[in-house]
Amino acid sequence: MSNESHKAEPVQMDETVAAPSHAAEAQAADASVVDELTQANFRIEELEKALAEAQAKVLEQQDSVIRAAAEADNVRRRAAQDVEKAHKFALEKFVNELLPVIDNMERALVGADKADETTKAMFEGVELTQKTLLAAVEKFGVKQVDPLGQPFNPEQHQAIGMQPSAEHPANSVMLVMQKGYLLNDRLLRPAMVMVSQGGGVDTQA
């Protein structure tokens, strides 16, 4: 009997020692899990920060690309406009040199007597030359401004004076002293005109 009781005592001691060992292992495991979670959270924060920085950099680069594309488009558009203007108005200086020639032909026709047989051939020659010259410059965008009877337009007409007129309404062109010219709708020279005041002259007095 005494031998059996002596053998049972070591079993009870082993159980009491094993219980604290399991608790320590569990605490160590919990601490390890917490440490892993903490490290994982730190890693997630680092990744989120890196992602935010990368997104900000991408947005900045996109904005730079958009601005560069817009600037390039503006440069191309301005260059195209400059080329178009150069094509349209390259003849401006040359046409300005021709205007006195056209004016002199106009004066020659106004001063000549078409019915006079001695000057009829010359009149017809000057008239034909003027028509040919006007047709030639018109092909390059030159248009004559001859506003007789039209409303006065300060953008294309230069008023020399105003006179009463029973035949022309007020503020209309009653006389053209010198015709104007346009080059591709840009004014080269305004027409010099006399403007009607309307009403006519009152002869009763």
Side-chain angles (χ1 to χ4, degrees):
M1 295 290 289
S2 61
N3 291 334
E4 293 177 357
S5 61
H6 180 71
K7 291 179 180 179
E9 289 178 359
V11 174
Q12 292 178 356
M13 288 177 63
D14 290 341
E15 289 178 353
T16 54
V17 171
S21 177
H22 287 305
E25 290 177 358
Q27 289 178 355
D30 290 343
S32 177
V33 170
V34 170
D35 186 56
E36 289 179 358
L37 290 175
T38 301
Q39 291 180 359
N41 287 333
F42 284 150
R43 183 57 179 163
I44 291 172
E45 290 179 359
E46 290 176 354
L47 292 174
E48 288 178 345
K49 183 178 179 181
L51 177 61
E53 291 176 353
Q55 289 176 337
K57 189 173 183 179
V58 168
L59 291 175
E60 181 180 355
Q61 290 178 346
Q62 285 179 341
D63 186 56
S64 299
V65 170
I66 292 172
R67 286 199 301 269
E71 181 63 25
D73 186 59
N74 289 335
V75 170
R76 283 194 297 269
R77 186 165 50 250
R78 286 195 296 267
Q81 290 175 351
D82 291 341
V83 170
E84 183 181 1
K85 288 180 181 178
H87 287 162
K88 281 186 175 181
F89 306 115
L91 294 176
E92 183 173 353
K93 185 175 181 180
F94 177 67
V95 173
N96 278 322
E97 294 295 328
L98 286 180
L99 294 186
V101 178
I102 298 174
D103 291 339
N104 289 333
M105 289 182 178
E106 186 81 24
R107 295 187 187 97
L109 293 175
V110 171
D113 185 4
K114 187 177 182 179
D116 189 350
E117 291 296 330
T118 58
T119 58
K120 184 177 181 180
M122 184 183 67
F123 180 92
E124 291 176 351
V126 173
E127 185 178 38
L128 180 60
T129 303
Q130 184 197 39
K131 288 180 179 179
T132 304
L133 182 57
L134 288 175
V137 296
E138 188 174 352
K139 292 178 182 179
F140 295 93
V142 178
K143 294 182 180 179
Q144 204 175 58
V145 180
D146 187 8
L148 182 64
Q150 298 177 8
F152 176 72
N153 180 3
E155 294 183 359
Q156 295 185 356
H157 310 155
Q158 180 179 348
I160 302 303
M162 298 185 69
Q163 290 183 357
S165 174
E167 299 178 0
H168 298 88
N171 295 319
S172 65
V173 177
M174 59 181 293
L175 181 64
V176 178
M177 277 82 78
Q178 187 181 67
K179 295 175 183 177
Y181 289 89
L182 300 170
L183 175 60
N184 292 313
D185 297 325
R186 184 163 78 178
L187 188 66
L188 287 177
R189 188 183 74 186
M192 299 175 64
V193 300
M194 184 68 69
V195 181
S196 171
Q197 292 178 333
V201 179
D202 186 4
T203 56
Q204 297 180 358

